[in-house]
């Protein structure tokens, strides 16, 4: 809008200048027809043109000065508006980038949770097959000496239960207190306590540090120790 107004004012200025030039010529033609200016000594044409030029030049300069002043004011206001708009645009872009980063983080977390759930589902299917078929159970490494037959089936099933509770915790289905309370309840079972006692060292050693899985195992260990002190 400001650019269009500037173009209009430039056009108006050019029109005024053209009118002043035309007026200067017309005034010159008028002045050279005055009888007192017809003598060669008077230099009538030059005097007439000089007088006309002086008069029209003053009018044109006054108008041009006024126009340039308005244009400077408009340019200053336009710059201030642009600075304000750029500031608002920058703030808006920063907010949009922050929202995009947050959306990407949430999407990444959801993708990781879906992938983790799929992996655990496959693990569940493998253990379930080993529980129902002793031949397949022999493929898995033994839990230790004396853990065979029904005891091995119980350990395989206990492993499924611990894996399920761990997945529920990592997916934020349970909070810390709920997860520890659930494991405390499960450790009331002697086979569960035996399973944890035999596998806890290897489990705690192989778990990545700093993750939610390690935190779950720490909660489970707390629940296990509470059961032992009863």
């Amino acid at each position: 809008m400001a650019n269009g107004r500037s173009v209009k004012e430039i056009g108006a200025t050019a029109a005024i200048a053209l009118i002043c030039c035309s007026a200067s010529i017309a005034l010159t033609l008028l002045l050279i027809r005055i009888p007192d200016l017809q003598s060669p000594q008077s230099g009538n044409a030059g005097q007439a043109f000089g007088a006309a030029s002086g008069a029209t030049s003053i009018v044109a300069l006054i108008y041009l000065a006024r126009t340039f002043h308005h244009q400077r004011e408009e340019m200053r206001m336009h710059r201030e508006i642009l600075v304000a708009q750029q500031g608002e645009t920058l703030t808006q872009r920063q907010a949009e980038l922050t929202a995009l980063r947050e959306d990407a983080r949430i999407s990444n977390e959801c993708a990781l949770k879906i992938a983790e759930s799929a992996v655990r589902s496959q693990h569940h299917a493998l253990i379930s097959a080993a529980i129902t078929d002793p031949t397949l159970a022999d493929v898995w490494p033994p839990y230790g000496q004396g853990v065979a037959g029904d005891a091995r089936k119980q350990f395989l099933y206990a492993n499924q239960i611990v894996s399920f509770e761990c997945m529920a915790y990592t997916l934020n289905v349970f909070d810390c207190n709920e997860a520890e309370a659930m494991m405390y309840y499960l450790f009331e079972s002697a086979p569960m306590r035996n399973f944890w006692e035999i596998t806890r060292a290897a489990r705690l050693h192989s778990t990545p540090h700093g993750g939610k899985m390690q935190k779950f195992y720490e909660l489970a260990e707390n629940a296990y120790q509470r059961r032992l002190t009863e």
Side-chain angles (χ1 to χ4, degrees):
M1 182 179 295
N3 291 334
R5 186 179 299 175
S6 298
V7 172
K8 290 181 179 180
E9 291 193 354
I10 292 173
T13 302
I16 292 297
L18 181 61
I19 292 173
C20 290
C21 292
S22 300
S24 176
I25 295 174
L27 184 60
T28 299
L29 293 176
L30 178 63
L31 290 174
I32 61 177
R33 293 180 179 276
I34 297 175
D36 293 339
L37 299 177
Q38 297 297 321
S39 64
Q41 292 80 9
S42 63
N44 58 338
Q47 293 177 3
F49 184 76
S53 297
T56 54
S57 295
I58 291 173
V59 175
L61 287 174
I62 292 174
Y63 181 80
L64 288 174
R66 178 176 174 274
T67 301
F68 289 150
H69 174 73
H70 285 299
Q71 286 181 348
R72 283 197 304 271
E73 289 298 315
E74 282 201 1
M75 291 178 65
R76 181 183 60 80
M77 294 175 61
H78 186 57
R79 284 196 300 269
E80 292 177 355
I81 293 174
L82 284 177
V83 170
Q85 289 178 345
Q86 288 174 354
E88 293 177 358
T89 302
L90 181 60
T91 302
Q92 183 179 1
R93 288 180 178 176
Q94 290 176 342
E96 291 176 352
L97 288 175
T98 301
L100 288 174
R101 283 194 295 267
E102 182 65 16
D103 290 342
R105 184 187 65 81
I106 294 174
S107 298
N108 185 54
E109 288 182 355
C110 291
L112 290 175
K113 289 179 179 180
I114 292 172
E116 181 181 356
S117 178
V119 171
R120 290 185 179 274
S121 296
Q122 292 296 321
H123 180 263
H124 175 79
L126 293 172
I127 297 296
S128 298
I131 293 173
T132 57
D133 190 338
T135 304
L136 297 179
D138 290 337
V139 177
W140 290 87
Y143 285 102
Q145 293 182 353
V147 182
D150 291 341
R152 182 172 61 179
K153 284 186 178 182
Q154 289 178 343
F155 274 33
L156 289 172
Y157 186 65
N159 183 67
Q160 292 283 62
I161 295 173
V162 172
S163 295
F164 171 77
E165 298 299 332
C166 181
M167 182 177 65
Y169 173 74
T170 56
L171 295 178
N172 298 321
V173 177
F174 299 149
D175 60 19
C176 293
N177 294 330
E178 291 171 337
E180 185 172 344
M182 179 59 69
M183 293 306 298
Y184 177 79
Y185 165 74
L186 292 173
F187 285 137
E188 185 178 358
S189 165
M192 284 293 298
R193 291 196 303 271
N194 293 336
F195 167 77
W196 188 260
E197 177 63 32
I198 291 176
T199 61
R200 58 201 284 260
R203 189 184 301 272
L204 295 174
H205 177 73
S206 62
T207 304
H209 294 282
K212 295 201 69 175
M213 185 179 295
Q214 182 193 27
K215 179 62 177 178
F216 172 79
Y217 290 148
E218 291 175 355
L219 296 172
E221 179 66 17
N222 292 338
Y224 176 73
Q225 293 297 332
R226 285 168 54 197
R227 276 296 181 186
L228 292 181
T229 58
E230 290 182 346

